[in-house]
Amino acid sequence: MKEGIHPNYREVCFQDMSNNFKFVTRSCANTKEMIKMEDGRELPLYKLDTTSESHPFYTGTQKSVDNMGGRVEKFRNRFGKTAVKTEAA
């Protein structure tokens, strides 16, 4: 392989800032900070606003559009009756 053209692919610790959840994976992400892990390794730290541990879709706290004031039902009532139904003989 040619030297000097490939990104620095290494293990990086990603940390969710809302709940301090951490996970380690390999990445090329540029980081400025380091973190000392429980096992003694010192890894680059990449801070995240949200991960699967804090996102409402993955935690089951997301609200469905159907339950938000009946907007979908209002739409169906208003525009659902305009379609003409035909029966095949």
Side-chain angles (χ1 to χ4, degrees):
M1 287 195 311
K2 198 171 188 182
E3 293 294 324
I5 63 168
H6 299 287
N8 185 14
Y9 188 64
R10 71 226 187 271
E11 284 191 334
V12 177
C13 178
F14 289 86
Q15 181 178 10
D16 187 338
M17 299 310 293
S18 64
N19 61 3
N20 290 327
F21 173 71
K22 298 176 199 153
F23 63 95
V24 176
T25 188
R26 296 185 57 84
S27 176
C28 297
N30 292 328
T31 63
K32 295 179 182 173
E33 298 180 46
M34 300 292 282
I35 187 170
K36 186 149 182 134
M37 301 300 290
E38 293 84 17
D39 60 1
R41 296 182 296 169
E42 191 165 335
L43 297 174
L45 175 65
Y46 194 90
K47 295 179 179 178
L48 301 169
D49 293 329
T50 187
T51 62
S52 60
E53 290 292 315
S54 62
H55 193 279
F57 178 79
Y58 297 105
T59 59
T61 58
Q62 182 177 10
K63 294 180 181 176
S64 173
V65 174
D66 290 334
N67 298 334
M68 296 178 70
R71 288 188 233 159
V72 173
E73 196 59 39
K74 287 178 189 175
F75 178 84
R76 287 183 182 151
N77 289 339
R78 183 181 292 168
F79 298 108
K81 296 176 184 177
T82 60
V84 177
K85 294 182 183 179
T86 60
E87 274 189 31

